[in-house]
Amino acid sequence: MDVAVFSTKPYDRRFLDAANAAGGGKHRLTYLEARLAPDTAVLARGARAVCAFVNDRADAAALEAFAGMGVRLLALRSAGFNHVDLAAARRLGVTVARVPAYSPEAVAEHTAAMILALNRSIHRAYNRVREGNFALDGLLGFGLKGRTVGIVGTGRIGVAVAQTMLGFGCRVIAQDPYPDAAVEALGVTYTGIPELLAASDIITLHCPLTPETHHLIDADAVRRMRRGVMLINTSRGAIVDTRAVIAGLKLGQIGYLGLDVYEEEADLFFQDLSGKVIQDDIFARLLTFPNVLVTAHQAFFTAEALTAIAETTLANITAFEEAGRALHEVSTEKLA
Ligand code: NAD
């Protein structure tokens, strides 16, 4: 099948080419550096499938362009599908497929890395030592054992985070609209959001971005947290109201902030902007806090995860071509 692959970097090509070759080289992959947007959708002309990543915007205009060009499949290289207008896809007959699970451990381990880096000020210690400053003032950490970790969303990643934090001797509480007995059996206690906000020393977000979770962490939620709380978001940027957490950081209400995702990341992340002036003043303000650690949506970025993403993406495309159905279709039934 002819596939137009948007937002590709050298590492995407490497892993997708390897997976395609392993499957007998069935598909012709055209690699596009451009991000998918209404005005770049036309680059998919001639393709029957489009492959897109997290900051590609598959809105109604892009999907209409695809449908007009004969594109029948949108194969996402991600688990999340909040960037796709599913109602438009359904109306236009474009099947949407995703990679539901590629390496929950990759994101969970990155989450743990952020917690430990912030807690022990590793990000600051690294710079200090390189500059010959071996003083410890300002680097005082706190022990994780016995601390309460609140996990929002106990799906594949949330569970892996729970197991890791239980391993550190933390008490783990969680909120999820679908509590899971197997998660409780691990030693996790489900609570409501107000209790989780009030009781947690560390809050980490692992729910999808939906209308219900948009700005779940807003000014009111920040006020309800323990003073000096650590907040980690490796899920989707818009679950957090960035202005509210900046206000919380300025007041000391939030003591540590770790972000792998950011509401307006599409204009920043996955690019080398080191020679440019950052125009996003809110993001620039975040970078001024000593107790904020930002990574640029790299939690998924391990060899294991990229291999699994490429293999599942190509398996989705092959199944769609051969059987008319992708392996992991995003259900649009509820949108009928
Ligand atoms: P999953 O579908 O296995 O789990 C999501 C969980 O969130 C489910 O248990 C669901 O019931 C729960 N949930 C749904 N609505 C909720 C709400 N309102 N409040 C609390 N919980 C709610 O997904 P996953 O594989 O664990 O991934 C979680 C999220 O992580 C994805 O949606 C994606 O946005 C993000 N993610 C980020 C990266 C990265 O590189 N930073 C990589 C992969 C996934």
Side-chain angles (χ1 to χ4, degrees), residues 83-151:
H83 50 308
V84 180
D85 184 335
L86 293 178
R90 182 183 175 89
R91 174 169 53 82
L92 296 160
V94 176
T95 297
V96 182
R98 66 181 184 128
V99 184
Y102 39 88
S103 174
E105 295 76 23
V107 183
E109 288 167 13
H110 192 80
T111 302
M114 293 194 108
I115 292 171
L116 290 169
L118 280 167
N119 174 36
R120 306 307 297 267
S121 296
I122 302 296
H123 56 305
R124 302 186 67 203
Y126 175 81
N127 287 329
R128 274 197 196 185
V129 169
R130 285 174 73 94
E131 286 176 12
N133 177 356
F134 308 115
L136 298 182
D137 316 67
L139 302 183
L140 190 66
F142 64 85
L144 291 177
K145 189 173 174 191
R147 297 282 174 174
T148 300
V149 177
I151 298 181

Side-chain angles (χ1 to χ4, degrees), residues 174-294:
Q175 189 271 331
D176 194 300
Y178 303 99
D180 183 344
V183 175
E184 282 178 308
L186 294 172
V188 175
T189 307
Y190 282 101
T191 66
I193 277 283
E195 297 82 358
L196 184 145
L197 294 175
S200 301
D201 299 298
I202 299 169
I203 297 171
T204 181
L205 308 174
H206 302 291
C207 55
L209 174 61
T210 63
E212 292 78 49
T213 62
H214 183 266
H215 283 191
L216 179 75
I217 304 300
D218 58 8
D220 182 51
V222 170
R223 255 193 310 275
R224 291 161 180 260
M225 293 175 188
R226 275 193 174 179
R227 187 163 175 79
V229 67
M230 181 187 294
L231 175 66
I232 307 285
N233 186 9
T234 60
S235 195
R236 282 291 180 271
I239 298 172
V240 168
D241 177 350
T242 315
R243 289 172 195 270
V245 296
I246 287 175
L249 283 160
K250 286 166 78 175
L251 290 170
Q253 174 69 359
I254 295 177
Y256 309 81
L257 177 68
L259 298 180
D260 185 54
V261 287
Y262 168 63
E263 278 182 285
E264 305 297 334
E265 71 178 49
D267 292 333
L268 297 167
F269 288 4
F270 306 131
Q271 306 167 70
D272 179 0
L273 302 178
S274 52
K276 303 246 167 71
V277 173
I278 291 179
Q279 298 297 327
D280 182 333
D281 291 348
I282 296 176
F283 186 75
R285 181 67 177 101
L286 274 179
L287 300 183
T288 65
F289 295 99
N291 49 352
V292 173
L293 176 59
V294 180

Side-chain angles (χ1 to χ4, degrees), residues 45-80:
R45 191 171 296 287
R48 288 291 160 270
V50 162
C51 183
F53 198 45
V54 287
N55 289 328
D56 288 316
R57 225 164 19 94
D59 58 12
L63 289 162
E64 270 159 26
F66 288 155
M69 293 185 290
V71 170
R72 312 266 27 110
L73 173 69
L74 173 61
L76 302 174
R77 307 198 290 285
S78 60

